[in-house]
């Protein structure tokens, strides 16, 4: 048996977060009735002309800066010619020879903690096609052109990845980056991020690349991993049985968990690219790039480092809390209002994310905006733990009430429910005395040195006060009473 | 009233102001002439009788109130490649015989804002591909000067309708000479503006980097009236020029004294008809007598213009015409068996021979392995041609020459000789490759057929071209000659 090296390059199509399309004023909203968001330009009517939605430059430049790429001050749109019913003009406007973003790289952290650098070849602007629907039309094909003209940034990597794990880590990083930068909403269920995986294998230790296949339109990280693994196994099986890999486009079928050759989209593969004569070359200035840079949010890596430094968090906690901008912002509000970074990190990670996870919510801006428990309220709750108003145990009760929307203000809830911790010695002393009096055997044992029984006495007092007694205060009183 | 159709726009505007007649009367006069005379000429594809009369009535009311725009009530025609809302816009093709444009071209909006009445849509070579108007799904157009002659193309319907007195002025488009060559053949004035001066929005594309719409009129002054309305920046056309529009009507009355006019030596080659040579040189002398300074200039890459054009224009057209696939609009073949069958038969049946020929040439020129040898090389030639012009314009203000190598040729004469047909554009095509403005004006006759003189100007100097042309028309009457229609 031979050892094979896996070689993977990814082309990631990310849908840019703009209100209108790249070359027309039609809306990019998802889910509208077929062909209600396609104007004459999207339909490729006679006499219409494209004009570029300049917001797409801003997004592409931000992405380029985010991966340390070169921004081309002049980039050129080209036409890629092919006939297909969901390509209304008979060509796609894209960028072939002079894309807006060239080069750059990203560092991804693998499961074993090692860091891998993946080079990005280029990223270019282009328009999406419409959708052909082959079901439900009795041998005919339905065409929905709502998606036609949706702006895309196609991010092409070098063939730098050596396993499905690396490919998924890279794709996740790109997803996190475009979401962070507001370049894309990153909603993969709506097709906002789609991966084409170029996969080949070669005998370990050799240089020449094997023949690759391209598995198209994989729209989840889980499917990406499975599709690559399937394709690798398939290629190994073909080569080891003496066969040859055909260079082809394949489709991943998640129901069957397999890839298979795609029905050819075009009969000819000659796209006859040439510069789009309806659009002038795009010129951007260094000032424009600088302005975009000024407005860029903190990038994930910088945020993680800052969390470790400023809040004394460990790397793993920081990574979780920085996974989305919304969660990071939520955490920082909790830390600020609560006055304790570590306590905030603990509560956000364990209690908040635990609760969200149980309800199948991801820490996106949408879900964090929709939950009843605001970052401010959680911060106030933690402040009450810190100042001794309530115990951590009581805080969990308050958390539940806030989560379920039974309360919005922790202080009000604590007050109305009478949850304030009892720290007053005058109030606690008679209770402590009563507990000691009712448990003479344990009291004697304690006095003989069995100090572990402190927990028993504190527990008894807590029981009698419904958890409201300050445990610190109680243990001091118990000690005082028993040893004096 | 019988000679209304001999009046220029400038004269008509004065008469309308003086209430000599109404726009309704004027429009009805033209509609009646179209009805009587156009069956023999075939210059219109669509006549808009009722809408035109209603529009004329509205403009009469506006004029009475004194709130009328500058061209209120002037009846014009649009080339049928220019989209007119709610009206069939066929591009002279079976492919779009059923296409009702859902929007107006920007230039139509601008002319409507200026108050014009639209009489109808004029005949043309299919998708503006041709030099004789013989490539129209709606049949050829006869030259009003002599019925057995072509009117030129591709804006042959606009030129013929003007010459026949079937409109006061018309719009045309010019990709390689399609305004100027029919203007020369029909004895009228045709201006191709600087690329980007008039918006291409709503003008059905043939070759996007070359197409430019412009006015066709009885005089340079009338052309200035139309251009004043048509020119200007349009945010819907990325290639339109964002520069202010000068007052062309004010500019045309300036003197040409001291202007340097270069006679292009390459345009007086062996292929040029002797009568045209003589007429154009005589016209140059007239301009000299008015104070212009004549000299010779050279455009050494002229011979490369046609080969470069016939790579670039078909390449762009092969892509631009891909949208006509029978799926969303336009002609669809009967009972398609598959998507490939739908494409093949819709396009085979919907397009005419010349269009299919250019799509095939363009597809070949862009295909893998040939792109460098053809398309890239043609773009290099294009830059050389532009450089020729900019060097010539270091020496002179305008370049003068013939518009065409011959006068209007016979119908059918060049149908089977594609190269001979393409050579028709030898003097006009380089101007499109360089994106410059140029005008063709009547400058003589040969055996009863009009001769066209071409003047080429610097980038955005439409005003200067109109001024030289207007000055010449003050000193000559070729532009006032009309074929005898017996009416």
């Amino acid at each position: 048996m031979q050892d094979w090296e896996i070689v993977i390059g990814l082309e990631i199509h990310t849908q840019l977060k703009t209100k209108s399309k790249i070359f027309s004023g039609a809306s990019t909203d998802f889910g509208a009735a077929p062909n209600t968001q396609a104007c004459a330009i999207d339909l490729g009517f006679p006499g219409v002309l494209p004009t570029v939605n300049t917001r797409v430059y801003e997004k592409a430049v931000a992405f380029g800066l985010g991966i340390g790429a070169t921004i081309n001050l002049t980039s050129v749109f080209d036409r890629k010619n092919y006939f297909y019913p969901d390509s209304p003009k008979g060509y796609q406007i894209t960028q072939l020879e002079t894309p807006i973003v060239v080069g750059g790289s990203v560092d991804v952290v693998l499961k074993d903690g090692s860091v891998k650098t993946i080079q990005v070849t280029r990223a270019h602007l282009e328009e999406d096609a419409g959708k052909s629907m082959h079901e439900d039309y009795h041998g005919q094909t339905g065409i929905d052109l709502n998606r036609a003209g949706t702006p895309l940034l196609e991010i092409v990597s070098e063939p730098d990845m050596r396993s499905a794990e690396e490919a998924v880590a890279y794709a996740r990083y790109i997803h996190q980056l475009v979401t962070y930068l507001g370049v894309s909403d990153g909603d993969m269920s709506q097709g906002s991020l789609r991966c084409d995986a170029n996969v080949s294998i070669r005998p370990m230790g050799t240089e020449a690349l094997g023949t690759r296949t391209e598995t198209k339109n994989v729209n989840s990280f889980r499917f990406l991993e499975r599709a690559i693994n399937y394709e690798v196994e398939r290629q190994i099986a073909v080569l080891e049985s003496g066969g040859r890999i055909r260079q082809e486009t394949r489709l991943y079928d998640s129901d069957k968990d397999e890839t298979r050759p795609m029905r050819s989209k075009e009969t000819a593969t000659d796209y006859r690219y040439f510069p789009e004569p309806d659009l002038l070359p795009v010129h951007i200035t260094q000032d424009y790039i600088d302005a975009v840079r000024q407005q860029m949010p903190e990038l994930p890596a910088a945020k993680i480092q800052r969390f470790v430094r400023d809040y004394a968090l460990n790397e793993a906690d920081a990574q979780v809390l920085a996974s989305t901008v919304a969660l990071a912002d939520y955490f920082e509000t909790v830390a600020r209002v609560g006055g304790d970074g570590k306590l905030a990190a603990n509560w956000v990670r364990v209690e908040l994310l635990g609760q969200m996870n149980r309800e199948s919510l991801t820490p996106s801006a949408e879900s964090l905006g929709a939950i009843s428990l605001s970052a401010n309220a959680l911060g106030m709750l933690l402040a009450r733990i810190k100042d001794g108003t309530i115990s951590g145990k009581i805080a969990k009760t308050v958390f539940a009430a806030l989560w379920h929307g039974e309360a919005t203000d922790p202080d009000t809830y604590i007050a109305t429910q009478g949850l304030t911790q009892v720290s007053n010695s005058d109030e606690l002393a008679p209770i402590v005395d009563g507990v000691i009096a009712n448990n003479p055997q344990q009291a004697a044992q304690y006095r003989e040195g069995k100090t572990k029984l402190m927990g028993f006495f504190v527990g008894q007092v807590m029981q009698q006060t419904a958890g409201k007694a300050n445990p610190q205060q109680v243990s001091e009183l118990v000690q005082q009473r028993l040893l004096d | 009233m019988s000679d209304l159709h001999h009046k220029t726009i400038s004269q008509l505007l004065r008469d309308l102001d003086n209430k000599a007649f109404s726009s309704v009367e004027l429009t009805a006069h033209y509609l009646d002439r179209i009805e009587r005379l156009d069956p023999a000429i075939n210059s219109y594809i669509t006549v808009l009788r009722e809408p035109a009369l209603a529009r004329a009535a509205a403009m009469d009311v506006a004029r009475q109130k004194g709130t009328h725009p500058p061209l209120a009530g002037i009846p014009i025609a649009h080339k049928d490649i220019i989209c007119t809302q709610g009206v069939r816009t066929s591009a002279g093709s079976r492919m779009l015989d059923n296409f009702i444009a859902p929007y107006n071209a920007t230039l139509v909006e601008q002319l409507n804002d200026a108050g014009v009445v639209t009489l109808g849509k004029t005949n043309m070579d299919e998708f503006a591909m041709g030099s004789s108007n013989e490539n129209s799904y709606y049949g050829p157009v006869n030259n009003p000067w002599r019925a057995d002659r072509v009117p030129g193309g591709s804006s042959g319907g606009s030129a013929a309708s003007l010459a026949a007195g079937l409109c006061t002025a018309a719009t045309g488009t010019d990709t390689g000479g399609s305004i100027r060559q029919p203007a020369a053949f029909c004895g009228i004035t045709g201006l191709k503006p600087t690329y980007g001066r008039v918006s291409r929005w709503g003008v059905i594309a043939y070759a996007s980097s070359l197409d430019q719409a412009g006015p066709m009129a009885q005089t340079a002054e009338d052309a200035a009236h139309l251009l004043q309305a048509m020119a200007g920046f349009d945010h819907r056309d990325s290639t339109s020029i964002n520069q202010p529009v000068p007052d062309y009507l004010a500019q045309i009355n300036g003197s040409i004294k001291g202007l340097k006019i270069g006679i292009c030596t390459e345009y007086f080659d062996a292929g040029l008809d002797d009568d045209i040579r003589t007429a154009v040189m005589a016209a140059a002398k007239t301009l000299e007598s008015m104070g212009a300074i004549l000299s010779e200039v050279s455009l050494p890459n002229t011979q490369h213009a046609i080969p470069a054009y016939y790579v670039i224009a078909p390449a762009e057209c092969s892509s631009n015409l891909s949208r006509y696939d029978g799926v969303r609009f336009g002609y669809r073949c009967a009972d398609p068996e598959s998507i490939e069958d739908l494409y093949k038969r819709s396009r085979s049946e919907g397009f005419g021979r010349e269009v299919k020929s250019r799509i095939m040439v363009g597809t070949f020129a862009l295909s893998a392995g040939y792109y460098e040898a053809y398309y890239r090389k043609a773009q290099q030639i294009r830059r050389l041609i532009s450089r020729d012009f900019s060097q010539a314009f270091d020496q002179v203000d305008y370049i003068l020459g013939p518009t065409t190598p011959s006068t209007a040729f016979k119908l059918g004469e060049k149908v089977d000789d594609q190269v001979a047909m393409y050579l028709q554009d030898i003097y006009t095509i380089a101007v499109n490759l360089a994106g410059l403005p140029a005008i063709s004006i009547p400058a003589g006759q040969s055996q009863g057929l009009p001769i066209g003189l071409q003047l080429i100007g610097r980038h955005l100097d439409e005003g200067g071209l109109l001024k030289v042309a207007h000055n010449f028309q003050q000193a000559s009457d070729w532009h006032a000659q009309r074929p005898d229609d017996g009416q």
Side-chain angles (χ1 to χ4, degrees):
Chain A
M1 276 306 232
Q2 190 165 16
D3 266 352
W4 296 97
E5 183 175 43
I6 304 161
V7 178
I8 304 160
L10 291 186
E11 292 166 23
I12 297 179
H13 292 83
T14 184
Q15 185 180 322
L16 301 180
K17 197 160 93 180
T18 56
K19 285 196 170 62
S20 58
K21 293 184 175 177
I22 184 168
F23 301 123
S24 83
S27 167
T28 54
D29 279 352
F30 180 82
N35 299 311
T36 55
Q37 289 182 174
C39 69
I41 296 173
D42 307 321
L43 293 170
F45 260 51
V48 303
L49 294 168
T51 47
V52 186
N53 175 354
T54 53
R55 296 303 294 264
V56 304
Y57 304 146
E58 187 186 308
K59 309 275 180 203
V61 168
F63 174 78
L65 295 174
I67 59 164
T70 303
I71 309 297
N72 268 330
L73 294 182
T74 298
S75 59
V76 178
F77 283 106
D78 295 289
R79 288 188 186 178
K80 177 182 181 179
N81 294 283
Y82 64 93
F83 283 100
Y84 202 67
D86 60 25
S87 168
K89 301 186 294 296
Y91 55 84
Q92 178 195 30
I93 305 177
T94 178
Q95 296 184 316
L96 176 71
E97 282 191 17
T98 322
I100 189 160
V101 173
V102 181
S105 66
V106 300
D107 289 343
V108 298
V109 182
L110 302 175
K111 287 200 185 90
D112 64 4
S114 64
V115 173
K116 167 111 187 181
T117 301
I118 292 155
Q119 301 293 327
V120 173
T121 315
R122 55 183 284 156
H124 61 261
L125 291 165
E126 62 183 26
E127 59 179 336
D128 209 343
K131 274 186 203 159
S132 295
M133 293 164 291
H134 302 290
E135 306 83 25
D136 307 334
Y137 293 93
H138 313 289
Q140 293 187 303
T141 297
I143 310 287
D144 178 6
L145 294 174
N146 282 352
R147 205 180 61 184
T150 296
L152 299 177
L153 187 69
E154 180 175 341
I155 303 155
V156 183
S157 83
E158 290 291 302
D160 283 353
M161 289 151 276
R162 295 292 174 268
S163 67
E165 189 208 338
E166 289 182 14
V168 170
Y170 167 76
R172 280 188 187 280
Y173 185 94
I174 295 291
H175 178 255
Q176 186 187 32
L177 184 65
V178 296
T179 315
Y180 248 72
L181 292 170
V183 164
S184 174
D185 66 16
D187 190 335
M188 297 179 75
S189 67
Q190 296 181 0
S192 288
L193 196 95
R194 310 193 293 269
C195 301
D196 299 346
N198 289 296
V199 177
S200 66
I201 59 170
R202 62 186 171 192
M204 195 64 84
T206 60
E207 282 294 309
L209 288 169
T211 304
R212 67 181 165 83
T213 61
E214 182 179 12
T215 302
K216 280 218 172 269
N217 272 329
V218 186
N219 62 2
S220 92
F221 298 126
R222 198 159 49 98
F223 292 162
L224 179 62
E225 183 164 15
R226 286 199 201 163
I228 291 171
N229 284 333
Y230 178 91
E231 189 53 23
V232 167
E233 293 303 315
R234 188 189 69 84
Q235 291 189 12
I236 291 174
V238 168
L239 291 181
E240 290 190 345
S241 63
R244 290 178 60 179
I245 304 296
R246 285 201 330 181
Q247 182 165 344
E248 64 189 357
T249 301
R250 300 177 71 87
L251 195 71
Y252 176 69
D253 181 335
S254 57
D255 293 337
K256 294 182 179 162
D257 188 21
E258 63 174 29
T259 70
R260 59 169 178 270
M262 211 166 152
R263 192 170 54 92
S264 178
K265 199 165 194 176
E266 313 84 27
T267 44
T269 50
D270 185 352
Y271 291 123
R272 306 190 311 280
Y273 285 97
F274 74 106
E276 163 59 285
D278 285 333
L279 295 171
L280 300 173
V282 179
H283 298 292
I284 53 177
T285 62
Q286 192 57 49
D287 285 352
Y288 179 85
I289 295 172
D290 292 342
V292 173
R293 195 195 303 273
Q294 293 276 312
Q295 287 176 9
M296 273 170 68
E298 188 178 33
L299 295 183
K303 205 180 272 284
I304 290 164
Q305 277 178 21
R306 185 167 60 79
F307 282 6
V308 169
R309 194 181 61 231
D310 292 0
Y311 299 106
L313 305 185
N314 63 40
E315 183 90 15
D317 277 354
Q319 272 189 25
V320 170
L321 294 173
S323 62
T324 69
V325 177
L327 183 64
D329 289 349
Y330 191 101
F331 157 69
E332 291 204 85
T333 304
V334 176
R336 181 171 46 76
V337 176
D340 187 327
K342 283 201 88 130
L343 187 65
N346 200 38
W347 275 78
V348 170
R349 247 203 98 161
V350 179
E351 302 302 330
L352 179 73
L353 291 182
Q355 188 67 39
M356 290 182 77
N357 193 39
R358 280 191 288 281
E359 300 189 13
S360 302
L361 295 171
T362 57
S364 65
E366 287 73 30
S367 3
L368 285 170
I371 60 174
S372 302
L373 175 59
S374 73
N376 209 48
L378 183 52
M380 282 162 65
L381 179 60
L382 301 195
R384 295 297 160 264
I385 299 176
K386 282 211 51 127
D387 67 12
T389 306
I390 54 169
S391 65
K393 193 161 179 252
I394 293 288
K396 287 187 186 175
T397 313
V398 182
F399 178 94
L402 293 168
W403 176 267
H404 293 294
E406 293 154 17
T408 49
D409 176 37
D411 284 342
T412 314
Y413 188 75
I414 291 165
T416 55
Q417 300 292 312
L419 298 174
T420 307
Q421 187 161 259
V422 181
S423 306
N424 187 332
S425 299
D426 295 346
E427 232 175 288
L428 288 174
I431 303 169
V432 171
D433 289 343
V435 168
I436 292 171
N438 289 334
N439 297 281
Q441 203 180 333
Q442 284 84 349
Q445 284 175 354
Y446 186 91
R447 288 197 182 96
E448 284 158 17
K450 207 168 178 190
T451 52
K452 273 187 187 165
L453 281 168
M454 177 58 82
F456 166 76
F457 289 108
V458 175
Q460 290 291 310
V461 174
M462 296 305 275
Q463 209 169 25
Q464 293 197 17
T465 58
K468 290 187 293 184
N470 180 335
Q472 188 80 30
Q473 193 75 22
V474 171
S475 78
E476 275 169 26
L477 280 169
V478 169
Q479 194 160 15
Q480 211 181 61
R481 291 294 201 272
L482 288 175
L483 297 182
D484 280 0
Chain B
M1 296 279 287
S2 61
D3 64 343
L4 284 185
H5 54 280
H6 290 310
K7 291 178 183 280
T8 65
I9 291 175
S10 294
Q11 291 164 341
L12 290 171
L13 287 172
R14 278 193 294 275
D15 290 346
L16 287 168
D17 269 346
N18 296 335
K19 300 187 168 54
F21 44 82
S22 67
S23 172
V24 169
E25 289 170 306
L26 176 64
T27 302
H29 175 76
Y30 273 108
L31 289 166
D32 291 346
R33 281 182 64 80
I34 293 167
E35 201 170 295
R36 274 183 292 126
L37 302 173
D38 202 47
I41 297 170
N42 198 27
S43 66
Y44 280 86
I45 291 173
T46 302
V47 178
L48 300 168
R49 171 174 277 276
E50 297 312 320
L53 288 170
R55 168 78 174 168
M59 285 300 114
D60 281 336
V61 170
R63 190 173 288 278
Q64 267 168 6
K65 287 185 189 158
T67 57
H68 56 289
L71 299 179
I74 298 296
I76 69 160
H78 287 298
K79 185 178 182 179
D80 208 22
I81 200 164
I82 295 167
C83 287
T84 42
Q85 191 170 355
V87 173
R88 173 176 62 184
T89 300
S90 73
S93 180
R94 182 185 195 187
M95 185 60 87
L96 291 179
D97 184 49
N98 64 0
F99 178 65
I100 309 294
Y103 36 76
N104 277 327
T106 298
L107 75 89
V108 171
E109 287 291 319
Q110 290 165 315
L111 284 164
N112 284 348
D113 289 347
V116 301
V117 171
T118 303
L119 292 168
K121 307 294 294 287
T122 58
N123 205 342
M124 56 179 287
D125 283 305
E126 185 178 7
F127 283 99
M129 298 178 204
S131 306
S132 67
N133 217 123
E134 290 166 294
N135 302 330
S136 169
Y137 176 61
Y138 301 92
V141 175
N142 297 309
N143 191 318
W145 289 88
R146 206 179 297 166
D148 67 339
R149 303 290 166 141
V150 302
S154 65
S155 311
S158 289
S161 73
L162 256 166
L166 306 181
C167 61
T168 66
T171 56
T173 61
D174 190 317
T175 307
S178 282
I179 286 176
R180 292 160 288 158
Q181 186 252 16
F185 279 12
C186 292
I188 57 121
T189 298
L191 174 70
K192 181 205 101 71
T194 306
Y195 180 75
R197 179 76 289 188
V198 175
S199 170
R200 290 189 297 117
W201 171 265
V203 178
I204 296 176
Y206 156 27
S208 310
S209 75
L210 302 162
D211 294 344
Q212 180 61 205
M216 303 176 78
Q218 300 173 65
T219 63
E221 187 175 3
D222 281 6
H225 276 294
L226 259 67
L227 186 64
Q228 199 71 54
M230 295 164 74
F233 175 67
D234 181 7
H235 66 90
R236 289 181 294 187
D237 175 3
S238 300
T239 61
S240 92
I241 297 171
N242 195 355
Q243 291 283 325
V245 177
D247 185 343
Y248 297 119
L249 285 160
Q251 277 188 22
I252 60 167
N253 290 310
S255 158
I256 62 165
K257 207 169 164 64
L259 287 182
K260 294 180 200 149
I261 296 178
I263 295 168
C264 175
T265 48
E266 284 79 7
Y267 288 6
F268 292 84
D269 58 352
L272 180 62
D273 176 271
D274 282 338
D275 284 354
I276 295 179
R277 182 191 311 269
T278 307
V280 169
M281 288 312 295
K285 290 287 171 201
T286 303
L287 291 170
E288 188 177 33
S289 73
M290 300 172 80
I293 301 160
L294 300 183
S295 64
E296 285 194 348
V297 287
S298 175
L299 299 169
N301 288 293
T302 296
Q303 57 172 326
H304 301 307
I306 286 183
Y309 175 91
Y310 279 101
V311 170
I312 292 168
E316 292 181 7
C317 113
S318 73
S319 177
N320 282 335
L321 271 60
S322 292
R323 68 190 60 201
Y324 307 108
D325 56 7
V327 174
R328 298 168 313 288
F329 49 77
Y331 180 80
R332 174 186 282 211
C333 68
D335 306 320
E337 288 169 5
S338 65
I339 187 68
E340 284 77 19
D341 186 46
L342 171 70
Y343 289 155
K344 279 183 189 165
R345 282 200 290 126
S346 298
R347 289 167 66 78
S348 297
E349 296 163 16
F351 288 138
R353 191 182 71 157
E354 181 65 23
V355 169
K356 282 186 273 197
S357 161
R358 293 197 197 186
I359 289 173
M360 283 189 279
V361 168
T363 302
F364 174 79
L366 289 175
S367 57
Y370 297 97
Y371 182 87
E372 295 293 325
Y374 293 99
Y375 190 79
R376 182 109 49 206
K377 186 73 84 187
Q379 292 293 359
Q380 286 164 354
I381 292 170
R382 192 169 182 176
R383 282 191 287 279
L384 291 176
I385 286 168
S386 288
R387 203 177 59 191
D388 277 3
F389 278 111
S390 59
Q391 284 171 353
F393 284 124
D394 286 342
Q395 304 161 49
V396 298
D397 299 312
Y398 300 97
I399 296 168
L400 178 147
T403 307
T404 57
S406 72
T407 55
F409 50 87
K410 283 185 177 151
L411 280 156
E413 182 183 326
K414 298 186 199 289
V415 165
D416 295 320
D417 189 348
Q418 216 171 21
V419 173
M421 189 73 94
Y422 290 177
L423 285 171
Q424 269 301 309
D425 302 326
I426 191 158
Y427 308 136
T428 49
I429 249 171
V431 170
N432 298 78
L433 291 169
L436 297 171
I439 193 167
S440 177
I441 53 174
Q445 285 186 2
S446 170
Q447 298 173 353
L449 290 169
I451 289 170
L453 163 79
Q454 178 177 232
L455 286 158
I456 305 166
R458 293 193 183 98
H459 194 68
L460 287 179
D461 192 18
E462 287 80 8
L465 285 174
L466 289 165
K467 176 175 70 178
V468 178
H470 182 64
N471 271 269
F472 180 75
Q473 290 178 348
Q474 300 301 298
S476 65
D477 71 347
W478 297 112
H479 61 281
Q481 304 287 320
R482 287 288 170 269
D484 180 13
D485 60 20
Q487 308 272 332

